[in-house]
Amino acid sequence: MANKQAMNIVKMKKYKQDGVPLTMITAYDYPTALLAEEAGIDLILVGDSLGNVVLGYNSTLPVTIDDMVYHTRSVVRGAEKTFIVADMPFMTYHGSVDETLKGVRRLMQEGQAHAVKMEGGVEITDTVRAVVQAGVPVLGHIGLTPQSVNQIGGYRIQGKDAADAKRLMDEAKALEAAGAFGIVLELVTEEVARAISEELSIPTIGIGAGRGCDGQVLVFHDVVQYASPYTPKRFVKTYGDVGTLIRASIEAYVKEVKDRSFPAEEHVFNAADGVLDQLYGGQRKEKVGNNS
């Protein structure tokens, strides 16, 4: 999109004030980022979900800062006019502030991200504040936090009772006070997500958090069913099925190579007349005759 204007945190707040929803999708490589930008996406998240959908892990926990730097750098090259947020991976922002800032520096300097995302609530507000004071925008993430899945007992809906709703509201307010420019709400009941969104001055971006958020984010591989087998999710709407298309295309390629219908005449290049005679030093015909 030649005329696309890059998003920034000031515009995001204005979008919220004007009631214009923000669109966000994950991307993990150059071609996906390029396509997302061409489609007009507002923000790209280089999520540690790459552990599940790209690297083949069964959770996000094994993802390293090196993984995130590598994939963020690839995404930035593909989406030069899109605001790009990179996830801080598991246990890279729960130690000292100095250690946290080293990881942040790598994502911003080597990965060239525009912001970082951190999972957690009140317990990480001091860290968020320190990173923001260092000049780096921070996107918060509460509700279901995949990096804490073992502690919270699995992929459970958050905000189903009054106590949990209050906890989420307190966490959201604490992150806003610490300087976060926005907050991802994951698998939060619609009523609670709406209440949080109305209470905050910063935008909320929902995933499985209903219709009251200021924006939505989905994983690229869910949007286009780029998986085998693909597992449907209630909070996801799929808009294509590239997994089936890719599999069918490769199956057709394998078949045509096996039955020698590929390459066909239109796929080959021909040498000029006499090239083979020169290649064999004028003895090609004699060799053919002897072999016959």
Side-chain angles (χ1 to χ4, degrees):
M1 296 183 68
N3 298 323
K4 180 177 180 181
Q5 300 295 311
M7 182 61 65
N8 58 53
I9 60 177
V10 175
K11 285 184 181 179
M12 289 178 218
K13 201 166 185 177
K14 183 68 163 54
Y15 270 38
K16 177 182 175 77
Q17 293 169 351
D18 294 344
V20 179
L22 289 163
T23 60
M24 188 181 206
I25 197 168
T26 66
Y28 314 100
D29 55 30
Y30 172 86
T32 305
L34 184 60
L35 290 170
E37 179 163 280
E38 290 174 348
I41 205 76
D42 292 319
L43 303 93
I44 288 176
L45 171 64
V46 188
D48 59 0
S49 50
L50 71 89
N52 303 85
V53 299
V54 175
L55 302 180
Y57 299 129
N58 61 9
S59 76
T60 64
L61 302 188
V63 176
T64 67
I65 196 74
D66 287 337
D67 293 330
M68 293 305 306
V69 168
Y70 175 86
H71 287 274
T72 301
R73 192 163 49 213
S74 301
V75 167
V76 169
R77 288 196 292 267
E80 297 179 348
K81 296 181 179 180
T82 302
F83 192 89
I84 295 170
V85 181
D87 259 332
M88 290 288 288
F90 179 64
M91 292 300 292
T92 58
Y93 52 99
H94 294 88
S96 69
V97 171
D98 286 345
E99 284 299 312
T100 297
L101 291 176
K102 286 179 182 178
V104 171
R105 178 192 62 77
R106 292 198 61 195
L107 287 176
M108 301 295 289
Q109 212 168 40
E110 299 176 44
Q112 299 181 5
H114 301 118
V116 298
K117 180 168 76 65
M118 300 180 184
E119 296 181 8
V122 176
E123 75 280 4
I124 67 164
T125 52
D126 288 344
T127 300
V128 170
R129 188 174 291 105
V131 173
V132 171
Q133 288 175 350
V136 177
V138 175
L139 179 64
H141 182 160
I142 61 174
L144 175 71
T145 47
Q147 291 178 12
S148 305
V149 67
N150 293 328
Q151 183 179 9
I152 63 179
Y155 297 92
R156 302 167 56 197
I157 308 300
Q158 307 291 298
K160 296 181 76 171
D161 58 45
D164 205 34
K166 183 179 185 307
R167 174 185 64 83
L168 290 168
M169 180 67 80
D170 290 345
E171 289 181 343
K173 288 181 176 180
L175 288 169
E176 179 180 36
F181 70 86
I183 301 175
V184 170
L185 302 177
E186 182 168 358
L187 289 188
V188 174
T189 56
E190 182 173 69
E191 297 82 0
V192 173
R194 186 186 300 275
I196 291 172
S197 301
E198 292 174 349
E199 188 72 20
L200 302 184
S201 65
I202 58 175
T204 59
I205 300 176
I207 177 167
R211 295 159 289 186
C213 296
D214 302 304
Q216 300 290 329
V217 58
L218 285 177
V219 172
F220 168 79
H221 292 63
D222 286 335
V223 171
V224 300
Q225 292 193 41
Y226 187 13
S228 180
Y230 178 73
T231 303
K233 304 172 182 66
R234 177 177 174 180
F235 59 91
V236 169
K237 180 177 180 179
T238 60
Y239 293 82
D241 184 3
V242 302
T244 297
L245 177 62
I246 290 171
R247 186 187 307 105
S249 300
I250 297 173
E251 286 175 351
Y253 163 65
V254 170
K255 178 182 179 299
E256 290 195 1
V257 170
K258 295 294 187 182
D259 65 20
R260 295 190 179 276
S261 60
F262 176 82
E265 178 66 28
E266 64 268 25
H267 305 119
V268 302
F269 305 94
N270 299 113
D273 291 343
V275 167
L276 290 184
D277 289 337
Q278 295 178 36
L279 180 64
Y280 288 103
Q283 299 177 0
R284 178 172 176 264
K285 292 183 179 179
E286 181 181 342
K287 287 186 175 184
V288 172
N290 290 339
N291 289 336
S292 62

